[in-house]
Amino acid sequence: MASPNTSKNKHSLTQLFSAEEIAARVRELAAQIDRDYDGREILMIAVLKGSFLFIADLVRAVKSPPVVDFVRLASYGSATQSSGIIEVRKDLEMSIKDKDVLVVEDIVDSGQTLESLRSILLNRQPASLRICTLIDKQAHRVTNVPVDYIGFSMDDGFIVGYGLDFAERYRQLPYIGVLKKESAHI
Ligand code: IMP
Ligand code: MG
């Protein structure tokens, strides 16, 4: 689709999910969430930064009244692969005790980020804890972390757009695309 230039490398970007496909899928997920929560208040936790656009659309699509909080995690590793060592960079501001919590993620890859977050949150004794991810990338999964709501599944490849970045770039794209380095693997 495009041939964007980052500061050092040339990448090609091919659309995988259009803005319209994403919007339609978000509406379906919201309807599924509404059926399950049946009007109960949902404490939605966005995992920054990648899920900021997804949660913005999701909170406007659900009918169950949402409350929103944010957590920022950092995993040590390369730009495209997490190491499994997770640090909480910004913690929640709200107590989740006895609340119905829905974690909103951009993408589950190895599952290590989510597995760590899940155990941190379970220690705080929510009434319930569910996980919603826009993208489920299964090729590198190393955990059995349960994911309750999945927008799209894909096998492999590095994607950007609709909140997802490569070295902080491309988050603003309204669609999701696969990013490839023109000369070698990223
Ligand atoms: P995990 O711990 O391996 O599941 O990594 C999850 C995190 O890595 C996601 O929340 C993203 O921030 C990042 N990530 C994994 N795959 C991609 C991708 O294809 N594009 C952009 N970010 C990704
Ligand atoms: Mg994420």
Side-chain angles (χ1 to χ4, degrees):
M1 172 170 271
S3 244
N5 262 306
T6 60
S7 52
K8 287 192 206 111
N9 302 307
K10 197 159 191 226
H11 293 90
S12 70
L13 188 55
T14 312
Q15 181 172 291
L16 185 60
F17 304 114
S18 69
E20 293 72 25
E21 284 174 299
I22 296 168
R25 192 67 191 117
V26 169
R27 283 195 296 274
E28 287 172 356
L29 286 173
Q32 199 185 338
I33 290 167
D34 280 332
R35 281 196 297 276
D36 292 350
Y37 285 82
D38 198 23
R40 294 200 310 278
E41 186 177 85
I42 310 172
L43 202 174
M44 287 197 194
I45 297 177
V47 185
L48 293 173
K49 298 177 191 176
S51 62
F52 78 111
L53 291 181
F54 180 36
I55 195 165
D57 287 340
L58 197 60
V59 288
R60 288 179 289 180
V62 287
K63 295 196 181 73
S64 322
V67 174
V68 180
D69 204 351
F70 300 92
V71 68
R72 170 111 174 90
L73 307 170
S75 86
Y76 297 97
S78 69
T80 56
Q81 230 175 342
S82 91
S83 63
I85 305 164
I86 310 298
E87 178 197 18
V88 177
R89 283 271 173 83
K90 181 217 169 291
D91 207 338
L92 298 171
E93 291 171 10
M94 293 172 175
S95 165
I96 64 166
K97 190 163 186 337
D98 302 326
K99 306 276 182 178
D100 290 306
V101 173
L102 180 64
V103 172
V104 178
E105 257 286 20
D106 50 357
I107 183 163
V108 184
D109 186 15
S110 72
Q112 287 170 317
T113 307
L114 210 48
E115 182 70 48
S116 305
L117 179 63
R118 189 168 173 273
S119 64
I120 291 168
L121 296 180
L122 282 175
N123 269 329
R124 299 181 188 183
Q125 299 174 299
S128 65
L129 179 64
R130 287 188 176 171
I131 293 170
C132 174
T133 187
L134 181 65
I135 310 280
D136 182 18
K137 188 158 81 173
Q138 287 155 351
H140 307 133
R141 189 67 44 83
V142 297
T143 70
N144 288 320
V145 63
V147 183
D148 303 280
Y149 305 98
I150 294 170
F152 301 99
S153 295
M154 63 181 280
D155 286 331
D156 205 0
F158 196 81
I159 57 170
V160 294
Y162 194 66
L164 289 151
D165 75 307
F166 172 65
E168 296 301 328
R169 302 246 164 84
Y170 309 105
R171 293 193 197 274
Q172 80 285 1
L173 298 175
Y175 61 90
I176 290 175
V178 180
L179 192 69
K180 287 207 181 87
K181 200 171 171 179
E182 302 237 291
S183 44
H185 291 295
I186 52 173

